[in-house]
């Protein structure tokens, strides 16, 4: 498996910052996912080997974090938090609004490959609920109108 020179440079530097290789697992998975698009079997095997881990250990960590995926997603991964603070401030309505606007349901991708949608647990933005995360961007104090403007903005990008 071959990653870019930039990935290799980041990886080489990261492993020097921690006492154990395992500590760089999550950032390494994120960098690999950004580069490949998702964490394929090949990527998982490569990272496990580099960090002296079992593939099962790597898969267990992937299954814990909603940011990580073993399946291809759309260019923009829309994650709507429907945990308690957000649900009390309208997240359920927002989630259904997104489903209707994008024409997809949980963990589905639009046919043009632009958007994927996911209902997720707390994303740590409770004080600004309801909130969603699109790739690495946080959007807070949402309303259906704000969500429309945000998604339309990504569509044009
Ligand atoms: S409950 Fe939604 S961000 Fe925490």
């Amino acid at each position: 498996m071959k990653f870019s020179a930039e990935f290799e440079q980041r990886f080489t530097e990261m492993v020097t910052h921690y006492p154990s290789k395992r500590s760089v697992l999550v950032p390494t998975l994120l960098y690999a996912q950004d580069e490949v698009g998702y964490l394929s079997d090949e990527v998982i095997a490569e990272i496990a080997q580099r960090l002296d881990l079992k593939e099962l250990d790597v898969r267990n960590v992937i299954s814990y974090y909603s940011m990580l995926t073993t399946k291809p997603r759309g260019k923009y991964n829309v994650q709507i938090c429907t945990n308690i603070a957000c649900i009390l401030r309208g997240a359920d309505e927002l989630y259904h609004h997104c489903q209707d606007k994008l024409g997809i349901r949980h963990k589905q991708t639009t046919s043009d490959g632009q958007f994927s949608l996911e209902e997720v647990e707390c994303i740590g933005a409770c004080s600004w609920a309801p909130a969603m995360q699109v790739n690495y961007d946080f959007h807070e104090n949402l309303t259906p109108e704000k969500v429309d403007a945000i998604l339309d903005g990504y569509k044009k990008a």
Side-chain angles (χ1 to χ4, degrees):
M1 167 104 222
K2 194 155 172 53
F3 291 110
S4 68
E6 188 186 2
F7 176 96
E8 295 300 349
Q9 191 182 348
R10 280 173 161 171
F11 179 77
T12 305
E13 191 186 330
M14 269 192 311
V15 290
T16 66
H17 292 177
Y18 298 92
S20 94
K21 283 184 177 179
R22 188 188 183 102
S23 303
V24 300
L25 176 56
V26 171
T28 302
L29 289 168
L30 282 168
Y31 287 138
Q33 180 172 280
D34 286 346
E35 190 160 306
V36 178
Y38 69 107
L39 299 166
S40 65
D41 291 347
E42 193 182 8
V43 169
I44 291 169
E46 173 70 23
I47 291 174
Q49 187 255 321
R50 285 182 185 220
L51 300 180
D52 298 328
L53 297 170
K54 292 184 178 125
E55 287 184 34
L56 182 63
D57 294 330
V58 176
R59 287 182 190 280
N60 284 341
V61 168
I62 293 169
S63 70
Y64 182 78
Y65 291 100
S66 57
M67 282 291 289
L68 299 171
T69 181
T70 56
K71 300 208 167 65
R73 285 174 173 163
K75 182 177 176 191
Y76 300 106
N77 188 42
V78 179
Q79 298 184 308
I80 309 277
C81 170
T82 56
N83 216 311
I84 189 68
C86 288
I87 209 94
L88 289 172
R89 293 189 32 94
D92 200 40
E93 182 195 353
L94 281 180
Y95 182 55
H96 287 101
H97 180 77
C98 277
Q99 288 184 323
D100 292 343
K101 182 174 177 67
L102 298 174
I104 52 175
R105 299 290 178 256
H106 181 59
K107 290 194 183 271
Q108 292 182 341
T109 301
T110 55
S111 55
D112 62 2
Q114 283 287 292
F115 293 97
S116 294
L117 180 64
E118 231 179 319
E119 180 179 11
V120 295
E121 297 298 324
C122 181
I123 55 174
C126 318
S127 297
W128 306 278
M132 73 176 180
Q133 187 173 353
V134 182
N135 296 351
Y136 290 111
D137 299 332
F138 280 80
H139 302 279
E140 296 130 356
N141 291 310
L142 295 171
T143 62
E145 294 74 28
K146 279 188 184 177
V147 167
D148 283 347
I150 291 163
L151 296 182
D152 290 346
Y154 283 115
K155 213 174 217 170
K156 287 183 197 145

